[in-house]
Amino acid sequence: MTTNIEQPYVYRRRELVEPDWTRFPGWRDVTKDEWASAQWQRAHCVKNVAQLRELMGDLLTDEFYADLERDQVERATMSMLVPPQMLNTMVSEMSWADGSMPAAGVAFTQAFLADPVRLYMLPVFSDRRTDWPSHPFAARDSLHEHDMWAVEGLTHRYPTKVLAEMLPTCPQYCGHCTRMDLVGNSTAQVVKLKLAGKPVDRHAAMLDYLQRTPQVRDVVVSGGDVANMPWKNLEGFLDKLLRIDNIRDIRLATKALMGLPQHWLQPDVVEGVARVSALARSRGVSLAIHTHVNHAQSVTPLVADASKAMLEAGVRDVRNQGVLMRGINDTSEDLLDLCFALQDEAMITPYYFYMCDMIPFSEHWRLALHEAQHLQHSIMGYLPGFATPRIVCDVPFVGKRWVHQVDTYDRDKGMSFWRKNYRTSIEGSDEQALSREYVYYDPIYTLPQAGQQWWSSNTDVDQVHAAAMAGATASRDASARDLA
């Protein structure tokens, strides 16, 4: 039997490298101890264009900064906040084609513009679509999570699962954030929702609801990012949560395991996680950490160290939930390189890749459903089954659906129709909820010319949506008659 078979993807184990932060002028004198400090990392986040200029020196051209400033004024839904750890993975050694850093000025700027981590953490105006910057059905709270709050910050969307939005801040702000309506500072385009209750009162109300609602067994503790909660506060909440008999699964959501691994390597945090893990085991509760890594460049030795420290402290698993985005991870090679880096080097299990949600100004990131289906097909068979991520579409009012679960799909108009098998918390008396079809929309610029023209000619979005639903119903009824 020959082993010399050409395959679409060739697996190569790649050693992780912590990029040399001293290549950036503003960090030339930063020591290893400073870099390892969570406090130093937080204090030196890049929050504005002036700070980025100070860090980069002459590496970037003035045109880049003008492009970034324009985006901050006209398009950005998230304020700028990038930890040094994340910035250090942009135009890093892993991406140097000839083994040397691109020269300052035009060459470095071109590499920076093309960098996959930069593309979603520091978006510029020229990244965005000008024909369809937002889909006509884009929404600030595209998944209607706030509509499903049982109490403030607690989304009861699934029959047995809830999402606890503990706080509205993160150590880093991603341009594609699905919770852009709540998380972070207001921008020129988006005045953010403010949580009304005091944290201690909101958290108490969440715990009270869970004690009164025995059908809930699974709690995602998120935000924002739980890494921004003082550990003693987070541990106090988890301790109470673990004493509710019906809770059997707890997942801590933190992109900071990648963006600020220094936080999760702090001795007091590691020791606290060990205490919570021990209590979880004693009560037969599964405690896991879910992080958010979108590209293999982001997986460094420090990220691996943080993941392994959490596993050694006793969490059951560390899993990755990435977001599928154009130009960042939209090829099978990108996805497989990332999954193997996570699985082989960091002991992080690839879990989900979500299609980017339909928030304002996100069209340049979003992929069409058929593109996601192709990617799911292309990555099958390389990874172990338990570590093969599912690519899912988070359909408004429905929830996560594997991309191949679509009921019907009009590729010309970019409309996919989905069904559900449970009612959300706002559909208790809706008898049609389980028979209704729900619509998700492809980016319009990905459609055939006739489909793009159709959208351009149909500017009344309410009428468009109603027509889509009527067409789906007629098609379904016709199919039923044919089968009869």
Side-chain angles (χ1 to χ4, degrees), residues 26-27 30 34-35 37-47 51 54-55 81-85 87 260:
W27 292 336
V30 174
E34 287 175 317
W35 192 262
S37 164
Q39 183 178 358
W40 186 91
Q41 289 278 330
R42 290 182 189 273
H44 291 83
C45 288
V46 170
K47 302 176 183 177
Q51 290 176 347
E54 184 179 357
L55 169 64
L81 182 65
V82 191
Q85 176 73 25
L87 265 167
L260 190 68

Side-chain angles (χ1 to χ4, degrees), residues 211 214 216 240-248 283 285:
Q211 287 172 328
V216 174
K240 295 182 180 69
L241 185 59
L242 281 163
R243 297 179 193 281
I244 301 175
D245 287 340
N246 47 290
I247 303 305
R248 312 315 302 155
R283 296 188 62 82
V285 177

Side-chain angles (χ1 to χ4, degrees), residues 150-330:
V151 298
E152 187 179 43
L154 188 73
T155 300
H156 192 168
R157 186 181 185 196
Y158 299 96
T160 62
K161 300 183 287 186
V162 297
L163 166 72
E165 295 172 279
M166 303 295 290
L167 73 172
T169 65
C170 295
Q172 65 283 304
Y173 292 144
C174 310
H176 65 279
C177 181
T178 190
R179 297 199 182 104
M180 46 75 58
D181 193 44
L182 172 70
V183 172
N185 306 310
S186 294
T187 70
Q189 294 297 317
V190 181
V191 177
K192 301 297 176 102
L193 173 71
K194 298 297 181 183
L195 293 169
K198 294 179 180 178
V200 65
D201 295 332
R202 288 190 294 101
H203 300 164
M206 292 177 183
L207 293 166
D208 177 68
Y209 178 79
L210 295 173
Q211 287 172 328
R212 293 184 289 104
T213 315
Q215 64 266 34
V216 174
R217 60 169 304 282
D218 183 350
V219 182
V220 178
V221 184
S222 183
D225 191 313
V226 294
N228 264 21
M229 279 187 76
W231 176 260
K232 63 180 180 62
N233 295 355
L234 179 57
E235 185 172 354
F237 180 84
L238 294 174
D239 184 81
K240 295 182 180 69
L241 185 59
L242 281 163
R243 297 179 193 281
I244 301 175
D245 287 340
N246 47 290
I247 303 305
R248 312 315 302 155
D249 275 290
I250 298 174
R251 293 175 272 171
L252 305 181
T254 173
K255 188 186 180 85
L257 192 77
M258 176 274 286
L260 190 68
Q262 294 85 350
H263 169 81
W264 293 102
L265 287 166
Q266 294 176 110
D268 65 320
V269 174
V270 175
E271 292 164 8
V273 170
R275 288 191 297 271
V276 173
S277 297
L279 178 59
R281 283 196 305 275
S282 74
R283 296 188 62 82
V285 177
S286 173
L287 176 70
I289 288 178
H290 284 198
T291 192
H292 176 181
V293 189
N294 290 325
H295 196 273
Q297 275 178 215
S298 298
V299 187
T300 75
L302 274 170
V303 175
D305 289 346
S307 173
K308 292 170 185 176
M310 294 298 96
L311 292 167
E312 289 169 8
V315 302
R316 175 176 175 173
D317 204 356
V318 180
R319 307 180 186 115
N320 185 61
Q321 297 186 150
V323 174
L324 197 63
M325 289 183 285
R326 194 174 305 282
I328 293 139
N329 51 25
D330 61 340

Side-chain angles (χ1 to χ4, degrees), residues 135 137-145 147-148 157-158 178 355-359 366 392-401 416-420 422 424 426-427 433 436-442 465 469:
H135 194 277
F137 288 121
R140 290 168 51 122
D141 178 18
S142 64
L143 302 180
H144 305 276
E145 289 180 336
D147 297 335
M148 302 178 201
R157 186 181 185 196
Y158 299 96
T178 190
M355 295 181 69
C356 185
D357 291 318
M358 291 176 56
I359 58 168
R366 293 203 308 122
V392 294
C393 182
D394 213 343
V395 183
F397 295 112
V398 175
K400 291 183 290 292
R401 286 292 181 269
S416 52
F417 300 88
W418 308 77
R419 294 179 184 272
K420 61 197 293 183
Y422 52 80
T424 66
I426 59 175
E427 296 167 326
R436 184 180 299 116
E437 289 187 316
Y438 299 81
V439 190
Y440 186 83
Y441 298 93
D442 287 346
H465 188 80
M469 296 306 300

Side-chain angles (χ1 to χ4, degrees), residues 16 118 224 312 317 342:
L16 301 185
R118 195 286 307 167
E312 289 169 8
D317 204 356
L342 293 167

Side-chain angles (χ1 to χ4, degrees), residues 370 411-414 444-454:
H370 65 84
R411 283 183 58 168
D412 288 338
K413 294 185 177 69
I444 292 170
Y445 72 92
T446 66
L447 306 182
Q449 192 60 43
Q452 294 186 44
Q453 182 59 47
W454 183 89

